[in-house]
């Protein structure tokens, strides 16, 4: 029996790979998971109440694109947060943002670009669904390093013009996972100008936008509106997983130009998995509430401060601008993760598992990703143990 070749070169996913590295070894202390970005701050207190009030709607097929009330709540949030006017007709609710990051490529990436195989630009390291989307649409994935030499953001402008002319989609994550870098207004304006010049779309993964250290990150749609860029040029993606500590709700959204959203919605009518109606009612209420977001950001701020104190003086350490990961420099990420597990019981993710080898080099190899999701005291204990194990 034959199987498709287009996914044959996918490496093992990061977390099964981590289990293969660590689980045959005994932990050197009480296990502490700092490997997965699963928020553990309190979810909004009203979630259970809203579900209880709408239980009977589990007996109905949910609105495929999102209920009118949910889309209106998202539109209002975009106006408050970014001062951009994106109406409900340009928004689609998602059953987890990973779905949208994949299916938007399926709906919008063409089979040919200027008569040639299209290319999709992917920062390296990256959220792994980007590469799977490229493979699914038959595009060439071009992994662009996002390391310290470029402030942990991909330098797409450095690519050759003949490559850029084949690009159909460029993924960008800001604040980035795993490095926590934030794209500045100038960076986004330059990227938008590049997209205009070479006629490609930007898929802006902004799922960590509400977790930041000093100032709220600008958004791609915000800069596009300020620059008068065609709204078809940008698709933005947001989620309640990180913003509102609701990863199990599987609720996010994308927003795009009128023609793009028409194509995306048409595909989803055939192949989508809409969010159950009671969960859409929860999401509607959550997008309208900022109090829980402010409190959660305050808690992350305390953990940023702890990390800054613990790793002060460590060569190459820098606090992230946003998100809740530390991207810590080590000699070898796999060796560091294994040593940490065997000596302390702390579980972290080798950076190479989030990146791809290009020309024999993996830009994640010299890093580990550490999630700051545990309660403050637990996080502090883990970071001190990590420092003492790997840096002292």
């Amino acid at each position: 029996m034959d199987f498709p070749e287009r996914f044959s070169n996918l490496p093992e996913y990061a977390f099964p790979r981590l289990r293969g590295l660590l689980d045959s070894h005994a932990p050197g202390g009480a296990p502490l998971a700092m490997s997965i970005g699963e928020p553990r701050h309190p979810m909004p207190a009203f979630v259970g109440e809203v579900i209880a009030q709408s239980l009977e709607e589990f007996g109905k097929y949910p609105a495929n694109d999102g209920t009118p009330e949910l889309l209106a709540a998202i539109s209002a949030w975009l106006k408050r947060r970014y001062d951009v006017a994106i109406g409900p007709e340009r928004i689609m609710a998602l059953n987890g943002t990973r779905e949208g990051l994949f299916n938007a490529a399926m709906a919008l990436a063409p089979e040919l670009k200027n008569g040639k195989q299209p290319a999709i630009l992917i920062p390296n390291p990256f959220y792994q669904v980007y590469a799977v989307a490229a493979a699914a649409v038959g595009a060439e994935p071009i992994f662009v390093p996002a390391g310290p030499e470029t402030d942990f953001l991909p330098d797409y402008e450095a690519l050759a013009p003949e490559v850029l002319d084949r690009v159909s989609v460029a993924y960008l994550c800001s604040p980035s996972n795993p490095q926590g870098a934030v794209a500045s207004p100038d960076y986004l304006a330059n990227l938008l100008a590049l997209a205009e010049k070479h006629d490609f779309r930007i898929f802006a993964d902004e799922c960590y936008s509400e977790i930041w250290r000093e100032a709220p990150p600008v958004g791609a749609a915000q800069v596009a509106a300020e620059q008068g860029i065609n709204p078809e040029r940008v698709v933005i993606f947001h989620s309640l997983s990180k913003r509102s500590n609701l990863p199990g709700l599987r609720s996010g959204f994308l927003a795009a130009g009128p023609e793009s959203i028409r194509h995306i919605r048409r595909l989803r009518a055939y192949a989508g998995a809409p969010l159950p109606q009671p969960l859409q009612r929860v999401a509607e209420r959550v997008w309208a509430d900022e109090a829980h977001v402010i409190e959660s950001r305050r808690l992350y701020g305390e953990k940023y401060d702890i990390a800054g104190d613990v790793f002060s003086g460590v060569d190459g350490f820098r606090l992230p601008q946003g998100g809740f990961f530390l991207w810590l420099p080590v000699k070898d990420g796999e060796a560091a993760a294994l040593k940490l597990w065997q000596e302390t019981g702390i579980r972290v993710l080798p950076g190479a598992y989030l990146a791809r080898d290009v020309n024999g080099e993996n830009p994640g190899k010299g890093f580990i990703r550490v999630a700051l999701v545990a309660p403050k005291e637990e996080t502090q204990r883990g970071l001190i143990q990590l420092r003492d194990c790997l840096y002292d």
Side-chain angles (χ1 to χ4, degrees), residues 315-331:
D315 189 38
F317 168 74
R318 52 191 271 176
L319 275 173
Q321 294 173 279
F324 50 51
F325 297 114
L326 300 182
W327 189 236
L328 295 179
V330 292
K331 185 176 181 180

Side-chain angles (χ1 to χ4, degrees), residues 100-101 104 108 201-206 220 231-237 254-257 260-261 264:
L101 290 163
L108 301 180
R201 287 182 174 86
I202 297 165
F203 283 7
D205 180 352
E206 299 174 346
E232 301 294 343
R233 193 63 66 196
V234 178
V235 184
I236 61 170
F237 302 83
L254 65 78
S260 296
I261 201 73
I264 294 168

Side-chain angles (χ1 to χ4, degrees), residues 30-363:
L32 174 56
M34 303 185 82
S35 54
I36 188 167
E38 183 177 70
R40 290 170 57 189
H41 294 170
M43 69 178 72
F46 52 76
V47 169
E49 174 189 342
V50 175
I51 291 176
Q53 291 172 348
S54 53
L55 272 178
E56 73 282 355
E57 291 191 292
F58 276 120
K60 302 177 181 178
Y61 283 116
N64 195 60
D65 299 329
T67 65
E69 296 85 357
L70 173 56
L71 299 180
I74 294 169
S75 177
W77 178 79
L78 287 168
K79 180 64 176 175
R80 292 194 308 273
R81 174 62 173 83
Y82 296 110
D83 195 25
V84 291
I86 299 178
E89 73 282 356
R90 289 176 49 196
I91 299 167
M92 189 175 75
L94 298 172
N95 194 339
T97 306
R98 180 164 58 178
E99 173 212 346
L101 290 163
F102 179 85
N103 283 330
M106 297 291 289
L108 301 180
E111 289 82 3
L112 293 172
K113 174 76 184 295
N114 293 328
K116 299 178 181 179
Q117 180 190 20
I120 288 183
L121 302 184
I122 299 172
N124 198 20
F126 60 99
Y127 185 39
Q128 298 297 301
V129 71
Y130 308 162
V132 177
V137 300
E140 178 190 358
I142 297 180
F143 301 104
V144 180
E149 65 283 353
T150 59
D151 290 326
F152 296 103
L153 292 169
D155 184 7
Y156 291 148
E157 292 182 89
L159 295 171
E162 58 268 25
V163 172
L164 291 167
D165 284 339
R166 289 196 297 116
V167 172
S168 60
V169 170
Y171 281 98
L172 179 71
C173 186
S174 174
S176 61
N177 170 15
Q179 312 97 315
V182 170
S184 69
D186 286 345
Y187 179 97
L188 288 169
N190 290 338
L191 180 57
L192 286 160
L194 194 71
E196 289 271 86
K197 181 178 180 180
H198 295 278
D199 189 26
F200 60 82
R201 287 182 174 86
I202 297 165
F203 283 7
D205 180 352
E206 299 174 346
C207 288
Y208 294 87
S209 68
E210 304 314 285
I211 305 172
W212 41 266
R213 195 160 51 84
E214 295 176 344
V218 296
Q222 176 185 5
V223 176
E226 292 168 354
Q227 298 287 321
I229 300 292
N230 183 346
E232 301 294 343
R233 193 63 66 196
V234 178
V235 184
I236 61 170
F237 302 83
H238 285 262
S239 170
L240 292 178
S241 295
K242 276 54 175 183
R243 172 190 181 267
S244 300
N245 309 307
L246 285 166
L249 191 68
R250 307 310 307 135
S251 181
F253 74 85
L254 65 78
E259 190 65 13
S260 296
I261 201 73
R262 184 177 72 83
H263 281 78
I264 294 168
R265 285 183 168 185
R266 181 173 61 182
L267 178 63
R268 196 165 197 268
Y270 285 92
L275 190 68
Q277 203 94 334
L279 305 189
Q280 294 196 43
R281 301 298 182 197
V282 173
E284 171 195 340
R285 177 84 176 270
V286 173
W287 283 113
D289 182 78
E290 287 296 323
H292 72 279
V293 182
I294 294 169
E295 172 59 15
S296 185
R297 191 161 50 239
R298 183 189 68 79
L299 296 174
Y300 283 120
E302 293 180 345
K303 289 183 276 191
Y304 285 144
D305 291 343
I306 290 168
D309 290 341
V310 169
F311 295 105
S312 177
V314 170
D315 189 38
F317 168 74
R318 52 191 271 176
L319 275 173
Q321 294 173 279
F324 50 51
F325 297 114
L326 300 182
W327 189 236
L328 295 179
V330 292
K331 185 176 181 180
D332 180 277
E334 273 197 331
L338 182 57
K339 174 180 170 67
L340 197 59
W341 174 250
Q342 289 180 302
E343 296 186 11
T344 71
I346 295 172
R347 204 173 183 94
V348 300
L349 194 66
Y353 294 5
L354 299 168
R356 293 289 178 87
D357 292 354
V358 178
N359 299 323
E361 297 290 330
N362 186 310

